[in-house]
Amino acid sequence: MKVLNFGSLNLDYNYTVSHIVREGETTSASQVQVNLGGKGFNQSVALAKAGISIYHAGLVGEEGIDFYDTCQDVGIKTDFLKTVIGRCGHSIIQVDGSGQNSIILYGGANRKNTKEYVDEVLSNFSFGDVILLQNEISEVPYIIEQAFKKGMTIVLNPSPYDEVIEQCDLGKVSMFILNEIEGQQITGMTTPSTIVTALEASFPNAKIVLTLGEKGAIYHLGDDELYQPAFVVDVVDTTAAGDTFTGYFVAGLIKQYTVRDSLIKASKAAAIAVTKQGAAKSIPFMSEVELFEN
Ligand code: RIB
């Protein structure tokens, strides 16, 4: 079984601010860093650091060489990573004194996927292989269609939610990993339990993982429902916490850990990630997760 993540790669401009800037306000940042990120890339880093052999497909611009180097360093396979003319996707991220963030996303190369490129990548995968997707690249509905035709297991993190998610045939998704806001946007419900119930009614055969930030996460499939509290740590930067959780949880299921064990490892990994600055670079290796005590 092969594992493919078809997802975004962003250069993250991280600004440390005392508070998230308000409308009409100008504020000064005490620090700026340029880090590697993007929901897709972060999730591939988490999968790789959790010990999964992962292919990352996606597009970077001409200044994207560092993505190849980091993939090599952490063991992500770059056979399907491509450089295109123009700029990488990038994010402008404000991180405030309590570690909370606010993100502006510029798609750049991530928006240059074509059906031909999708077909070329997917021609290397077949029945039973796993594909992980987020919503920061173009052609997500087409990727879902084609991956489903091949019999791949589709895991979707519908983040960030926008009208493209409504164009996707979500009935073809085997597992959703989403946060409360995305759950509300998809179902119109407002509480964790009503969101899960509504998702189950629409997608009865799909595994649902609803992440609740510092309140933990819920896993649901049929009669199986597990709640996993979050581990309490001193928060420095919450960027990529959700991506870390997603990568580690998917890794756990691929390694055939129990759902509970997968939830625990994913929660520990996310807890470690929020104690560090940045996106991909804040994601721990499995050895660190195994030593984590709280
Ligand atoms: O989930 C965190 C990521 O969201 C950041 O790395 C940023 O690039 C945005 O895509």
Side-chain angles (χ1 to χ4, degrees):
M1 182 196 61
K2 290 194 268 190
V3 187
L4 168 67
N5 182 4
F6 212 132
S8 58
L9 305 102
N10 294 331
L11 294 172
D12 287 351
Y13 291 81
N14 280 78
Y15 296 89
T16 305
V17 291
S18 59
H19 63 272
I20 307 290
V21 69
R22 289 180 279 262
E23 189 178 337
E25 183 190 22
T26 300
T27 194
S28 294
S30 59
Q31 200 191 5
V32 63
Q33 283 187 4
V34 185
N35 294 314
L36 302 187
K39 294 185 196 304
F41 182 70
N42 296 339
Q43 291 176 23
S44 281
V45 169
L47 277 150
K49 288 186 171 179
I52 297 295
S53 171
I54 173 94
Y55 291 88
H56 189 97
L59 304 175
V60 293
E62 289 147 286
E63 78 281 46
I65 187 72
D66 288 352
F67 286 104
Y68 288 88
D69 293 344
T70 300
C71 283
Q72 177 132 29
D73 290 348
V74 302
I76 298 169
K77 295 179 195 287
T78 55
D79 310 42
F80 312 118
L81 192 59
K82 248 170 93 165
T83 302
V84 292
I85 292 169
R87 300 183 66 182
C88 281
H90 76 253
S91 291
I92 294 173
I93 307 181
Q94 299 175 56
V95 180
D96 73 12
S98 62
Q100 302 306 313
N101 66 33
S102 154
I103 302 179
I104 297 175
L105 187 61
Y106 171 74
N110 296 307
R111 295 276 159 206
K112 294 188 175 165
N113 286 315
T114 60
K115 293 190 170 52
E116 293 68 34
Y117 171 54
V118 171
D119 291 344
E120 181 191 316
V121 172
L122 292 186
S123 69
N124 297 281
F125 295 87
S126 55
F127 184 85
D129 290 340
V130 175
I131 182 167
L132 172 61
L133 295 165
Q134 312 76 27
N135 188 33
E136 287 189 339
I137 60 171
S138 50
E139 298 294 352
V140 171
Y142 183 73
I143 299 172
I144 290 177
E145 287 300 324
Q146 298 308 310
F148 185 79
K149 273 191 198 158
K150 288 185 157 276
M152 296 178 78
T153 300
I154 302 169
V155 180
L156 177 65
N157 170 224
S159 181
Y161 177 88
D162 63 21
E163 65 289 347
V164 172
I165 295 297
E166 286 158 28
Q167 294 157 19
C168 295
D169 185 350
L170 298 180
K172 297 188 163 128
V173 171
S174 298
M175 177 157 71
F176 295 93
I177 305 180
L178 71 180
N179 67 26
E180 242 176 315
I181 295 173
E182 291 140 9
Q184 283 178 18
Q185 289 166 319
I186 292 179
T187 64
M189 298 297 155
T190 52
T191 64
S193 63
T194 54
I195 291 169
V196 170
T197 304
L199 286 170
E200 190 196 15
S202 302
F203 314 109
N205 299 318
K207 297 183 173 95
I208 295 158
V209 184
L210 186 68
T211 59
L212 309 169
E214 60 187 20
K215 293 192 271 37
I218 297 169
Y219 168 88
H220 185 97
L221 175 66
D223 292 335
D224 246 10
E225 183 160 306
L226 279 79
Y227 168 68
Q228 176 63 44
F231 293 92
V232 181
V233 289
D234 290 331
V235 177
V236 172
D237 180 355
T238 56
T239 310
D243 299 329
T244 306
F245 183 98
T246 296
Y248 263 85
F249 184 75
V250 173
L253 295 194
I254 290 170
K255 289 183 168 191
Q256 299 190 319
Y257 295 165
T258 62
V259 172
R260 173 63 72 196
D261 203 18
S262 303
L263 285 170
I264 291 173
K265 290 219 165 46
S267 303
K268 286 184 174 180
I272 295 169
V274 302
T275 64
K276 301 177 188 173
Q277 276 189 330
K281 70 175 190 177
S282 72
I283 300 169
F285 280 95
M286 183 62 100
S287 50
E288 202 181 338
V289 173
E290 280 167 345
L291 290 175
F292 178 87
E293 292 202 3
N294 184 275

